[in-house]
Each structure stands twice: as C-alpha cells, then as structure tokens.
Amino acid sequence: MKQHLSDRLHFFRAFAANPRAVGAVLPTSRWAVRDMLDMADVAGAGLVVEMGAGTGVQTGELLARMRPDARLVSFEVDQRLAKLLHDRYDDPRLQVVADSAEHVGAHLGGRRPDVVVSALPYTSLPPGLRQRLLDLLPRIVAPGGSVLMLQYSPVMEAELRKRFASVRRRISPRNVPPAFLYAGTEPRGS
C-alpha cells in the first residue's frame, strides 16, 4: 500500500509539473495494463518498447511476462520518473531511456520491436509531436508485431485505423477513468 500511495504522489507531481506530457492525474490501474497486454504476444517478443513508462505499472507487468532473453526499452520523458523506474527495477532486460519516445530509433540499434506499448497522452500533446509519434508507430514495429495503446478517450482509434489495417479495441472499466485499449497490427503500406 505504501508503494501505491508513493507512486500516486510521484505521478501527481509529474502531472503538476507538465500536465500535457503526463496527461493523467493517476497512474493506470494494473487491471487496464493486464487487459491491454493480453492483446499481444508479449511472452513471445524478443524486443519490447514502452512509450510513457510513468511509475512503472506497465513496466513491471511487461517484465513479468517477458522471456529471460528478451529486452525492454522504456521511454519516460520526466527525469524523476525515469530515475524512479531505474531504481525500482533491477533487471538486466530493462533499459530506461529518459528521452522523448520520438527518438526511439536512436536507442534500438537498428532493431524493430515485436511489441510497442504506448500510454502517451496523445490528445494533450502538441499537434506536431502527436503526428510525428503516431506516424512513427507503424514504421518501428517489426513485421507481424503489435502496437498497443492505452487512452482515456476513443479519439485516437481513427488515427490508428489510418496507420494499421487491423485495429482491435477493448474498454477497461475498472480503471479510473475507464481506459480505451487498442491493438494495431498490419501497418498500412507495408
């Protein structure tokens, strides 16, 4: 319980410092994260990229599902949250990157992830950055891979459908607020 309250405080401080980059007042619930990760083959992935790692709710669940030889590259633009992630997870499979997910290519050594997990607050990002990040998703995911997205409104579904031939949606009602979960596969134009 103490860690849970501490995470909420860390997350709220990050939100107060930069609400457009954080996009939510509270971390995502474990139920929503599990529902989202169930939409892709995380256990079979060799490389997973996490965009918007926050306090590590997704990170912990990803590491629990990943195989021993897999790699997780987690992006968190907030320096304090990135340090919290680095300190919290002592796992050789994890690389925490305190940088914008927009620069993902510079940190993958030419590899393409089998699964991309994004909890970025697309609707609150500046339009140019939002467009660049959305356009990046189909280009970086490996053939046969999945892009998972957690959002708090259905607005991004149309954007995903422009970029992926197959988009599945779930709603996680046990999250506050309810979360919209998406899985995009088969990038258009590939």
Side-chain angles (χ1 to χ4, degrees):
M1 183 68 157
K2 185 185 277 186
Q3 181 177 321
H4 185 65
L5 292 174
S6 172
D7 282 356
R8 286 181 175 200
L9 181 60
H10 283 293
F11 201 85
F12 182 76
R13 282 184 186 150
F15 174 81
N18 195 349
R20 290 188 81 173
V22 177
V25 180
L26 295 172
T28 304
S29 74
R30 294 189 192 287
W31 298 294
V33 170
R34 290 174 181 153
D35 288 345
M36 177 180 57
L37 297 183
D38 286 346
M39 297 173 78
D41 182 17
V42 175
L47 176 61
V48 177
V49 165
E50 177 184 24
M51 298 176 162
T55 59
V57 176
Q58 297 167 161
T59 312
E61 188 66 27
L62 283 164
L63 290 168
R65 291 179 182 220
M66 289 169 46
R67 63 187 198 221
D69 65 333
R71 179 177 168 215
L72 172 59
V73 182
S74 293
F75 286 82
E76 177 49 56
V77 73
D78 183 278
Q79 299 291 322
R80 282 183 263 178
L81 290 178
K83 182 178 180 342
L84 178 117
L85 287 170
H86 185 269
D87 293 346
R88 176 171 289 167
Y89 296 106
D90 183 24
D91 191 312
R93 300 172 298 169
L94 174 63
Q95 175 188 355
V96 177
V97 179
D99 193 2
S100 170
E102 184 177 16
H103 305 130
V104 65
H107 299 278
L108 298 182
R111 293 188 59 201
R112 294 171 69 187
D114 303 298
V115 176
V116 177
V117 177
S118 179
L120 296 174
Y122 291 98
T123 56
S124 67
L125 295 175
L129 176 60
R130 176 178 51 239
Q131 191 70 34
R132 289 189 304 274
L133 286 165
L134 288 167
D135 289 345
L136 182 67
L137 295 173
R139 290 196 317 259
I140 65 165
V141 70
S146 299
V147 172
L148 303 177
M149 186 184 287
L150 183 143
Q151 296 291 289
Y152 294 110
S153 92
V155 172
M156 287 298 109
E157 184 172 349
E159 293 294 333
L160 279 174
R161 291 194 182 282
K162 289 178 191 175
R163 292 163 177 84
F164 293 92
S166 174
V167 175
R168 292 178 292 133
R169 180 181 78 174
R170 287 186 185 169
I171 297 174
S172 184
R174 292 175 71 181
N175 195 70
V176 177
F180 292 84
L181 313 173
Y182 300 100
T185 55
E186 303 170 34
R188 293 196 185 275
S190 63

